[in-house]
Amino acid sequence: MNQKEHSLPADLFMDLERSGPMPLYFQIAQRIEKAIMGGDLPAGSRLENEVALGERLGLSRPTIRRAIQELVDKGLLVRRRGIGTQVVHGQVTRRVELTSLYEDLAGSGQKPSTRLLTLDEVPADANVAERLAVAEGDPTLHVRRVRLADDVPVAVLENWLPADFLDVSSDELTTHGLYQVLRARGVTMRVAKQRIGARKATAEEASLLEIDRSSALLTMDRTAYDNSGRAVEFGHHCYRPDLYSFEVTLVDK
């Protein structure tokens, strides 16, 4: 992915209405968004810093900062510590259904990748044992990963699988989504129990996701069951809310 810093073309801002009714920050945000959507600013490219852009356009830094924040809020730009402001494809909206994040990212036109943090056999503690319907102390496979979209970290995923899957390899988990791995082993997932919440990031999560310490995170706990009713995985996941959201359809009975 190209992470070269891009200077926005001067003619992009030639028709700014400096004394019109539309705020300058909004006009700037519109033009940068047009450049992103038109492909002039590809995913992964870095914008010049706010001071340099403000000086070039003869505008204040707060005006430039607010314009950029508009696009951060839309999921088109992301601020990354030590890197700067970077273009992304946009926020992924995940319907609450039985799919994996890997599949959601690929389906939205983004390139998913995985950084594997942990792949260990561990005894089930009381919580994991209850979720997987195994005895406390039974062996489970503990998996922890960072999921990236176009090389931008989106989520930290932590899962526990029953002993049937202790032989799942690191190669499988870095090249495929977990549900793809399970399906390849003959698992037919039928239903899941899921809880969505929010909390502040830990220092480690903030570092892994390249966000400020104590930033807000979306969380999801999920236990998935196969077509025989057996629990095949329990997961605790946390997501960057500027890059990810959940969507639920409600139907009146």
PDB file of all heavy atoms in Angstrom, residues 171-197:
ATOM      1  N   ASP A 171      -0.798 -20.269   9.845  1.00  0.00           N
ATOM      2  CA  ASP A 171      -0.963 -19.960   8.423  1.00  0.00           C
ATOM      3  C   ASP A 171      -2.439 -19.828   8.053  1.00  0.00           C
ATOM      4  O   ASP A 171      -2.827 -18.931   7.306  1.00  0.00           O
ATOM      5  CB  ASP A 171      -0.322 -21.050   7.556  1.00  0.00           C
ATOM      6  CG  ASP A 171       1.195 -20.980   7.542  1.00  0.00           C
ATOM      7  OD1 ASP A 171       1.733 -19.930   7.963  1.00  0.00           O
ATOM      8  OD2 ASP A 171       1.834 -21.960   7.131  1.00  0.00           O
ATOM      9  N   GLU A 172      -3.268 -20.731   8.577  1.00  0.00           N
ATOM     10  CA  GLU A 172      -4.702 -20.663   8.299  1.00  0.00           C
ATOM     11  C   GLU A 172      -5.288 -19.344   8.793  1.00  0.00           C
ATOM     12  O   GLU A 172      -6.102 -18.712   8.118  1.00  0.00           O
ATOM     13  CB  GLU A 172      -5.423 -21.834   8.977  1.00  0.00           C
ATOM     14  CG  GLU A 172      -5.165 -23.190   8.350  1.00  0.00           C
ATOM     15  CD  GLU A 172      -5.843 -24.300   9.128  1.00  0.00           C
ATOM     16  OE1 GLU A 172      -5.353 -24.659  10.214  1.00  0.00           O
ATOM     17  OE2 GLU A 172      -6.884 -24.805   8.657  1.00  0.00           O
ATOM     18  N   LEU A 173      -4.875 -18.921   9.983  1.00  0.00           N
ATOM     19  CA  LEU A 173      -5.474 -17.746  10.612  1.00  0.00           C
ATOM     20  C   LEU A 173      -4.959 -16.430  10.047  1.00  0.00           C
ATOM     21  O   LEU A 173      -5.609 -15.398  10.197  1.00  0.00           O
ATOM     22  CB  LEU A 173      -5.232 -17.794  12.120  1.00  0.00           C
ATOM     23  CG  LEU A 173      -5.985 -18.918  12.854  1.00  0.00           C
ATOM     24  CD1 LEU A 173      -5.474 -19.055  14.273  1.00  0.00           C
ATOM     25  CD2 LEU A 173      -7.488 -18.649  12.845  1.00  0.00           C
ATOM     26  N   THR A 174      -3.805 -16.451   9.412  1.00  0.00           N
ATOM     27  CA  THR A 174      -3.291 -15.213   8.820  1.00  0.00           C
ATOM     28  C   THR A 174      -3.730 -15.036   7.373  1.00  0.00           C
ATOM     29  O   THR A 174      -3.651 -13.936   6.833  1.00  0.00           O
ATOM     30  CB  THR A 174      -1.750 -15.157   8.893  1.00  0.00           C
ATOM     31  OG1 THR A 174      -1.205 -16.357   8.327  1.00  0.00           O
ATOM     32  CG2 THR A 174      -1.282 -15.002  10.331  1.00  0.00           C
ATOM     33  N   THR A 175      -4.213 -16.111   6.755  1.00  0.00           N
ATOM     34  CA  THR A 175      -4.630 -15.998   5.353  1.00  0.00           C
ATOM     35  C   THR A 175      -6.139 -16.098   5.159  1.00  0.00           C
ATOM     36  O   THR A 175      -6.636 -15.827   4.065  1.00  0.00           O
ATOM     37  CB  THR A 175      -3.951 -17.080   4.493  1.00  0.00           C
ATOM     38  OG1 THR A 175      -4.228 -18.368   5.039  1.00  0.00           O
ATOM     39  CG2 THR A 175      -2.444 -16.862   4.459  1.00  0.00           C
ATOM     40  N   HIS A 176      -6.862 -16.488   6.221  1.00  0.00           N
ATOM     41  CA  HIS A 176      -8.309 -16.637   6.110  1.00  0.00           C
ATOM     42  C   HIS A 176      -8.986 -16.114   7.371  1.00  0.00           C
ATOM     43  O   HIS A 176      -8.360 -16.004   8.425  1.00  0.00           O
ATOM     44  CB  HIS A 176      -8.704 -18.103   5.901  1.00  0.00           C
ATOM     45  CG  HIS A 176      -8.153 -18.714   4.659  1.00  0.00           C
ATOM     46  ND1 HIS A 176      -6.931 -19.349   4.626  1.00  0.00           N
ATOM     47  CD2 HIS A 176      -8.651 -18.777   3.400  1.00  0.00           C
ATOM     48  CE1 HIS A 176      -6.704 -19.799   3.399  1.00  0.00           C
ATOM     49  NE2 HIS A 176      -7.727 -19.459   2.633  1.00  0.00           N
ATOM     50  N   GLY A 177     -10.280 -15.834   7.266  1.00  0.00           N
ATOM     51  CA  GLY A 177     -11.068 -15.514   8.438  1.00  0.00           C
ATOM     52  C   GLY A 177     -11.338 -16.771   9.248  1.00  0.00           C
ATOM     53  O   GLY A 177     -11.305 -17.890   8.723  1.00  0.00           O
ATOM     54  N   LEU A 178     -11.604 -16.605  10.553  1.00  0.00           N
ATOM     55  CA  LEU A 178     -11.836 -17.756  11.420  1.00  0.00           C
ATOM     56  C   LEU A 178     -13.007 -18.606  10.933  1.00  0.00           C
ATOM     57  O   LEU A 178     -12.929 -19.836  10.930  1.00  0.00           O
ATOM     58  CB  LEU A 178     -12.096 -17.278  12.854  1.00  0.00           C
ATOM     59  CG  LEU A 178     -12.409 -18.368  13.876  1.00  0.00           C
ATOM     60  CD1 LEU A 178     -11.268 -19.385  13.970  1.00  0.00           C
ATOM     61  CD2 LEU A 178     -12.705 -17.752  15.246  1.00  0.00           C
ATOM     62  N   TYR A 179     -14.079 -17.969  10.498  1.00  0.00           N
ATOM     63  CA  TYR A 179     -15.238 -18.750  10.058  1.00  0.00           C
ATOM     64  C   TYR A 179     -14.935 -19.514   8.771  1.00  0.00           C
ATOM     65  O   TYR A 179     -15.457 -20.605   8.552  1.00  0.00           O
ATOM     66  CB  TYR A 179     -16.458 -17.847   9.871  1.00  0.00           C
ATOM     67  CG  TYR A 179     -17.132 -17.475  11.182  1.00  0.00           C
ATOM     68  CD1 TYR A 179     -16.525 -17.754  12.400  1.00  0.00           C
ATOM     69  CD2 TYR A 179     -18.362 -16.844  11.201  1.00  0.00           C
ATOM     70  CE1 TYR A 179     -17.122 -17.417  13.596  1.00  0.00           C
ATOM     71  CE2 TYR A 179     -18.981 -16.502  12.395  1.00  0.00           C
ATOM     72  CZ  TYR A 179     -18.353 -16.797  13.601  1.00  0.00           C
ATOM     73  OH  TYR A 179     -18.948 -16.470  14.782  1.00  0.00           O
ATOM     74  N   GLN A 180     -14.076 -18.958   7.921  1.00  0.00           N
ATOM     75  CA  GLN A 180     -13.653 -19.692   6.736  1.00  0.00           C
ATOM     76  C   GLN A 180     -12.871 -20.949   7.137  1.00  0.00           C
ATOM     77  O   GLN A 180     -13.046 -22.026   6.545  1.00  0.00           O
ATOM     78  CB  GLN A 180     -12.783 -18.804   5.842  1.00  0.00           C
ATOM     79  CG  GLN A 180     -13.538 -17.680   5.145  1.00  0.00           C
ATOM     80  CD  GLN A 180     -12.590 -16.768   4.385  1.00  0.00           C
ATOM     81  OE1 GLN A 180     -11.625 -16.255   4.944  1.00  0.00           O
ATOM     82  NE2 GLN A 180     -12.863 -16.557   3.113  1.00  0.00           N
ATOM     83  N   VAL A 181     -12.009 -20.801   8.143  1.00  0.00           N
ATOM     84  CA  VAL A 181     -11.226 -21.947   8.632  1.00  0.00           C
ATOM     85  C   VAL A 181     -12.146 -23.025   9.184  1.00  0.00           C
ATOM     86  O   VAL A 181     -11.985 -24.221   8.892  1.00  0.00           O
ATOM     87  CB  VAL A 181     -10.221 -21.478   9.709  1.00  0.00           C
ATOM     88  CG1 VAL A 181      -9.533 -22.683  10.354  1.00  0.00           C
ATOM     89  CG2 VAL A 181      -9.182 -20.533   9.110  1.00  0.00           C
ATOM     90  N   LEU A 182     -13.147 -22.606   9.967  1.00  0.00           N
ATOM     91  CA  LEU A 182     -14.069 -23.583  10.558  1.00  0.00           C
ATOM     92  C   LEU A 182     -14.909 -24.272   9.483  1.00  0.00           C
ATOM     93  O   LEU A 182     -15.115 -25.488   9.522  1.00  0.00           O
ATOM     94  CB  LEU A 182     -14.964 -22.900  11.582  1.00  0.00           C
ATOM     95  CG  LEU A 182     -14.258 -22.369  12.836  1.00  0.00           C
ATOM     96  CD1 LEU A 182     -15.253 -21.665  13.752  1.00  0.00           C
ATOM     97  CD2 LEU A 182     -13.550 -23.489  13.587  1.00  0.00           C
ATOM     98  N   ARG A 183     -15.394 -23.508   8.515  1.00  0.00           N
ATOM     99  CA  ARG A 183     -16.196 -24.117   7.445  1.00  0.00           C
ATOM    100  C   ARG A 183     -15.375 -25.111   6.638  1.00  0.00           C
ATOM    101  O   ARG A 183     -15.887 -26.142   6.193  1.00  0.00           O
ATOM    102  CB  ARG A 183     -16.764 -23.021   6.542  1.00  0.00           C
ATOM    103  CG  ARG A 183     -17.840 -22.161   7.203  1.00  0.00           C
ATOM    104  CD  ARG A 183     -18.485 -21.228   6.196  1.00  0.00           C
ATOM    105  NE  ARG A 183     -19.380 -20.278   6.845  1.00  0.00           N
ATOM    106  CZ  ARG A 183     -19.132 -18.983   6.997  1.00  0.00           C
ATOM    107  NH1 ARG A 183     -18.004 -18.473   6.526  1.00  0.00           N
ATOM    108  NH2 ARG A 183     -19.989 -18.201   7.599  1.00  0.00           N
ATOM    109  N   ALA A 184     -14.096 -24.798   6.423  1.00  0.00           N
ATOM    110  CA  ALA A 184     -13.228 -25.709   5.674  1.00  0.00           C
ATOM    111  C   ALA A 184     -13.041 -27.034   6.412  1.00  0.00           C
ATOM    112  O   ALA A 184     -12.690 -28.049   5.802  1.00  0.00           O
ATOM    113  CB  ALA A 184     -11.871 -25.054   5.431  1.00  0.00           C
ATOM    114  N   ARG A 185     -13.294 -27.033   7.722  1.00  0.00           N
ATOM    115  CA  ARG A 185     -13.194 -28.247   8.528  1.00  0.00           C
ATOM    116  C   ARG A 185     -14.549 -28.918   8.707  1.00  0.00           C
ATOM    117  O   ARG A 185     -14.702 -29.791   9.572  1.00  0.00           O
ATOM    118  CB  ARG A 185     -12.565 -27.916   9.881  1.00  0.00           C
ATOM    119  CG  ARG A 185     -11.094 -27.556   9.769  1.00  0.00           C
ATOM    120  CD  ARG A 185     -10.564 -26.877  11.015  1.00  0.00           C
ATOM    121  NE  ARG A 185      -9.136 -26.651  10.862  1.00  0.00           N
ATOM    122  CZ  ARG A 185      -8.179 -27.398  11.422  1.00  0.00           C
ATOM    123  NH1 ARG A 185      -8.532 -28.417  12.194  1.00  0.00           N
ATOM    124  NH2 ARG A 185      -6.913 -27.142  11.224  1.00  0.00           N
ATOM    125  N   GLY A 186     -15.515 -28.507   7.920  1.00  0.00           N
ATOM    126  CA  GLY A 186     -16.806 -29.164   7.936  1.00  0.00           C
ATOM    127  C   GLY A 186     -17.808 -28.617   8.924  1.00  0.00           C
ATOM    128  O   GLY A 186     -18.885 -29.192   9.103  1.00  0.00           O
ATOM    129  N   VAL A 187     -17.488 -27.483   9.578  1.00  0.00           N
ATOM    130  CA  VAL A 187     -18.404 -26.895  10.548  1.00  0.00           C
ATOM    131  C   VAL A 187     -19.471 -26.083   9.809  1.00  0.00           C
ATOM    132  O   VAL A 187     -19.148 -25.255   8.952  1.00  0.00           O
ATOM    133  CB  VAL A 187     -17.647 -25.979  11.534  1.00  0.00           C
ATOM    134  CG1 VAL A 187     -18.627 -25.273  12.470  1.00  0.00           C
ATOM    135  CG2 VAL A 187     -16.628 -26.793  12.334  1.00  0.00           C
ATOM    136  N   THR A 188     -20.722 -26.327  10.139  1.00  0.00           N
ATOM    137  CA  THR A 188     -21.822 -25.520   9.614  1.00  0.00           C
ATOM    138  C   THR A 188     -22.385 -24.701  10.756  1.00  0.00           C
ATOM    139  O   THR A 188     -23.028 -25.230  11.660  1.00  0.00           O
ATOM    140  CB  THR A 188     -22.940 -26.413   9.032  1.00  0.00           C
ATOM    141  OG1 THR A 188     -22.391 -27.227   7.989  1.00  0.00           O
ATOM    142  CG2 THR A 188     -24.084 -25.568   8.483  1.00  0.00           C
ATOM    143  N   MET A 189     -22.081 -23.408  10.741  1.00  0.00           N
ATOM    144  CA  MET A 189     -22.551 -22.540  11.815  1.00  0.00           C
ATOM    145  C   MET A 189     -24.009 -22.166  11.591  1.00  0.00           C
ATOM    146  O   MET A 189     -24.391 -21.774  10.485  1.00  0.00           O
ATOM    147  CB  MET A 189     -21.663 -21.314  11.934  1.00  0.00           C
ATOM    148  CG  MET A 189     -20.414 -21.588  12.746  1.00  0.00           C
ATOM    149  SD  MET A 189     -19.105 -20.419  12.438  1.00  0.00           S
ATOM    150  CE  MET A 189     -18.672 -20.787  10.769  1.00  0.00           C
ATOM    151  N   ARG A 190     -24.779 -22.302  12.639  1.00  0.00           N
ATOM    152  CA  ARG A 190     -26.221 -22.153  12.504  1.00  0.00           C
ATOM    153  C   ARG A 190     -26.760 -20.906  13.194  1.00  0.00           C
ATOM    154  O   ARG A 190     -27.635 -20.226  12.669  1.00  0.00           O
ATOM    155  CB  ARG A 190     -26.902 -23.406  13.080  1.00  0.00           C
ATOM    156  CG  ARG A 190     -28.395 -23.441  12.932  1.00  0.00           C
ATOM    157  CD  ARG A 190     -28.793 -23.632  11.499  1.00  0.00           C
ATOM    158  NE  ARG A 190     -30.226 -23.754  11.335  1.00  0.00           N
ATOM    159  CZ  ARG A 190     -30.819 -23.812  10.157  1.00  0.00           C
ATOM    160  NH1 ARG A 190     -30.105 -23.781   9.051  1.00  0.00           N
ATOM    161  NH2 ARG A 190     -32.133 -23.925  10.078  1.00  0.00           N
ATOM    162  N   VAL A 191     -26.259 -20.622  14.380  1.00  0.00           N
ATOM    163  CA  VAL A 191     -26.817 -19.529  15.169  1.00  0.00           C
ATOM    164  C   VAL A 191     -25.722 -19.000  16.103  1.00  0.00           C
ATOM    165  O   VAL A 191     -24.739 -19.703  16.377  1.00  0.00           O
ATOM    166  CB  VAL A 191     -28.039 -20.020  15.987  1.00  0.00           C
ATOM    167  CG1 VAL A 191     -27.620 -21.001  17.070  1.00  0.00           C
ATOM    168  CG2 VAL A 191     -28.831 -18.864  16.581  1.00  0.00           C
ATOM    169  N   ALA A 192     -25.905 -17.768  16.578  1.00  0.00           N
ATOM    170  CA  ALA A 192     -24.950 -17.190  17.527  1.00  0.00           C
ATOM    171  C   ALA A 192     -25.688 -16.311  18.518  1.00  0.00           C
ATOM    172  O   ALA A 192     -26.707 -15.696  18.193  1.00  0.00           O
ATOM    173  CB  ALA A 192     -23.885 -16.384  16.802  1.00  0.00           C
ATOM    174  N   LYS A 193     -25.160 -16.268  19.729  1.00  0.00           N
ATOM    175  CA  LYS A 193     -25.618 -15.310  20.729  1.00  0.00           C
ATOM    176  C   LYS A 193     -24.584 -14.198  20.787  1.00  0.00           C
ATOM    177  O   LYS A 193     -23.382 -14.466  20.884  1.00  0.00           O
ATOM    178  CB  LYS A 193     -25.763 -15.980  22.092  1.00  0.00           C
ATOM    179  CG  LYS A 193     -26.887 -17.009  22.160  1.00  0.00           C
ATOM    180  CD  LYS A 193     -26.986 -17.617  23.551  1.00  0.00           C
ATOM    181  CE  LYS A 193     -28.111 -18.633  23.628  1.00  0.00           C
ATOM    182  NZ  LYS A 193     -28.193 -19.272  24.975  1.00  0.00           N
ATOM    183  N   GLN A 194     -25.060 -12.970  20.745  1.00  0.00           N
ATOM    184  CA  GLN A 194     -24.148 -11.853  20.569  1.00  0.00           C
ATOM    185  C   GLN A 194     -24.557 -10.678  21.452  1.00  0.00           C
ATOM    186  O   GLN A 194     -25.741 -10.399  21.608  1.00  0.00           O
ATOM    187  CB  GLN A 194     -24.175 -11.438  19.099  1.00  0.00           C
ATOM    188  CG  GLN A 194     -23.219 -10.348  18.700  1.00  0.00           C
ATOM    189  CD  GLN A 194     -23.088 -10.306  17.190  1.00  0.00           C
ATOM    190  OE1 GLN A 194     -22.329 -11.070  16.610  1.00  0.00           O
ATOM    191  NE2 GLN A 194     -23.831  -9.433  16.551  1.00  0.00           N
ATOM    192  N   ARG A 195     -23.570 -10.016  22.036  1.00  0.00           N
ATOM    193  CA  ARG A 195     -23.827  -8.824  22.836  1.00  0.00           C
ATOM    194  C   ARG A 195     -22.884  -7.716  22.383  1.00  0.00           C
ATOM    195  O   ARG A 195     -21.671  -7.919  22.293  1.00  0.00           O
ATOM    196  CB  ARG A 195     -23.621  -9.098  24.323  1.00  0.00           C
ATOM    197  CG  ARG A 195     -23.744  -7.855  25.205  1.00  0.00           C
ATOM    198  CD  ARG A 195     -23.663  -8.194  26.677  1.00  0.00           C
ATOM    199  NE  ARG A 195     -24.821  -8.965  27.112  1.00  0.00           N
ATOM    200  CZ  ARG A 195     -24.961  -9.417  28.357  1.00  0.00           C
ATOM    201  NH1 ARG A 195     -24.035  -9.191  29.262  1.00  0.00           N
ATOM    202  NH2 ARG A 195     -26.046 -10.098  28.674  1.00  0.00           N
ATOM    203  N   ILE A 196     -23.438  -6.540  22.089  1.00  0.00           N
ATOM    204  CA  ILE A 196     -22.665  -5.394  21.626  1.00  0.00           C
ATOM    205  C   ILE A 196     -22.614  -4.350  22.731  1.00  0.00           C
ATOM    206  O   ILE A 196     -23.625  -4.074  23.388  1.00  0.00           O
ATOM    207  CB  ILE A 196     -23.284  -4.799  20.356  1.00  0.00           C
ATOM    208  CG1 ILE A 196     -23.238  -5.831  19.224  1.00  0.00           C
ATOM    209  CG2 ILE A 196     -22.562  -3.519  19.925  1.00  0.00           C
ATOM    210  CD1 ILE A 196     -24.062  -5.455  18.024  1.00  0.00           C
ATOM    211  N   GLY A 197     -21.437  -3.775  22.943  1.00  0.00           N
ATOM    212  CA  GLY A 197     -21.281  -2.755  23.970  1.00  0.00           C
ATOM    213  C   GLY A 197     -20.209  -1.748  23.588  1.00  0.00           C
ATOM    214  O   GLY A 197     -19.816  -1.631  22.427  1.00  0.00           O
TER     215      GLY A 197
END
